[in-house]
Amino acid sequence: MPLRDLADPDHLPALDRRYAFDRPPLELGAGDPPPRILLLYGSLRERSYSRLCVEEAARLLRFFGCETRIFDPATLPLPDLHAGDDHPAVHELRELSMWSEGQVWCSPERHGQITGIMKLQIDHLPLSMGGMRPTQGRTLAVMQVSAGSQSFNSVNTLRVLGRWMRMVTIPNQSSVAKAFAEFDDAGRMKPSSYYDRIVDVMEELVRFTVLLRPHTAQLVDRYSERKEAGTVIDTATDLSSIATKP
């Protein structure tokens, strides 16, 4: 199964718990069951900083009461390499996306853009799959890591892709400059403003996910899809029709 195990899932040395809510969405909506968050990263290097950022994000999400899964793209084939995309890693990625209520995408910046590994994962997520939509209506947080000075090229591209995939991309985002200097030898992120921003982003993702949870079905209900499916509106139960009656 192409999932990564999370080492020390409850160890948060860079987090000052005096200032951290353990349940950020309190009073915004039902926190049970735990929000389900899928995390994707964009590098296969042994010391991949996008993966290390995603792992820090996953630990924070667990602290905030979420269930997390990190997809390992190492065995993911190129699109169209297998007829009907019939490959175990592709099936797993799509199942994970269907499982998720929210997602985190983190890519390195390479040649001023996201990496091929990051795009490969998104390319394997269809807008529609047997009447189901693996990304539509889900919340999304975007992050990037850079080898040099701070840039926002990758997060900007991820925002475009998130919109194209009909996801609700949250306002906040994270961009970690000179990522090689932000992690210790054990692969844990050092306390810094970059780490604090990741805390902010994950906190916001949990809030938006819980806030939108009761309304997801309505927010993705579209005229064109109802028409294509032949789903006629029942005026007796349609709230918008009832609200306009004298």
Side-chain angles (χ1 to χ4, degrees), residues 6-239:
L6 186 62
D8 296 323
D10 302 315
H11 183 48
L12 297 166
L15 182 70
D16 191 333
R17 298 185 185 224
R18 294 176 300 170
Y19 307 105
F21 293 112
D22 59 356
R23 295 296 179 271
L26 197 64
E27 300 182 0
L28 289 176
D32 292 319
R36 302 181 303 274
I37 309 296
L38 170 64
L39 300 97
L40 307 180
Y41 60 92
S43 168
L44 298 181
R45 291 178 177 175
E46 183 177 353
R47 187 172 170 86
S48 162
Y49 295 109
S50 61
R51 175 176 56 79
L52 293 178
C53 275
V54 152
E55 290 176 351
E56 293 292 351
R59 294 184 185 97
L60 289 165
L61 289 166
R62 285 172 53 88
F63 175 72
F64 293 147
C66 297
E67 184 179 354
T68 64
R69 296 182 183 176
I70 303 173
F71 180 74
D72 184 347
T75 61
L76 200 60
L78 292 172
D80 306 319
L81 186 62
H82 297 271
D85 292 325
D86 188 11
H87 187 277
V90 176
H91 296 319
E92 179 73 10
L93 174 60
R94 292 176 178 178
E95 288 169 8
L96 287 169
S97 191
M98 290 297 303
W99 165 85
S100 71
E101 294 179 273
Q103 298 187 16
V104 177
W105 296 352
C106 182
S107 177
E109 182 181 88
R110 186 170 296 168
H111 302 311
Q113 264 301 337
I114 65 172
T115 60
I117 295 295
M118 191 75 238
K119 184 62 163 55
L120 174 65
Q121 295 172 85
I122 299 169
D123 283 348
H124 274 300
L125 294 173
L127 285 174
S128 180
M129 184 178 65
M132 300 179 291
R133 303 190 182 277
T135 56
Q136 181 168 290
R138 287 157 178 80
T139 53
L140 172 66
V142 296
M143 306 195 299
Q144 77 169 74
V145 294
S146 303
S149 58
Q150 192 169 48
S151 164
F152 302 96
N153 293 319
S154 291
V155 286
N156 288 340
T157 295
L158 291 175
R159 283 188 175 279
V160 171
L161 289 167
R163 184 168 66 246
W164 188 262
M165 303 304 289
R166 300 174 182 173
M167 303 177 80
V168 181
T169 308
I170 67 171
N172 215 339
Q173 62 188 26
S174 167
S175 174
V176 180
K178 295 184 179 178
F180 60 86
E182 296 301 320
F183 292 84
D184 62 22
D185 292 341
R188 297 306 305 267
M189 199 166 184
K190 304 171 186 176
S192 68
S193 60
Y194 292 132
Y195 180 83
D196 292 348
R197 175 58 67 89
I198 293 178
V199 179
D200 289 348
V201 174
M202 294 308 110
E203 193 176 65
E204 188 172 285
L205 176 65
V206 178
R207 286 189 172 122
F208 269 81
T209 303
V210 170
L211 182 65
L212 296 179
R213 175 183 268 176
H215 312 292
T216 301
Q218 184 176 358
L219 289 172
V220 299
D221 185 20
R222 290 187 172 85
Y223 162 79
S224 60
E225 295 173 3
R226 293 193 301 272
K227 183 179 178 182
E228 182 180 357
T231 305
V232 179
I233 293 174
D234 182 355
T235 55
T237 59
D238 175 35
L239 295 179

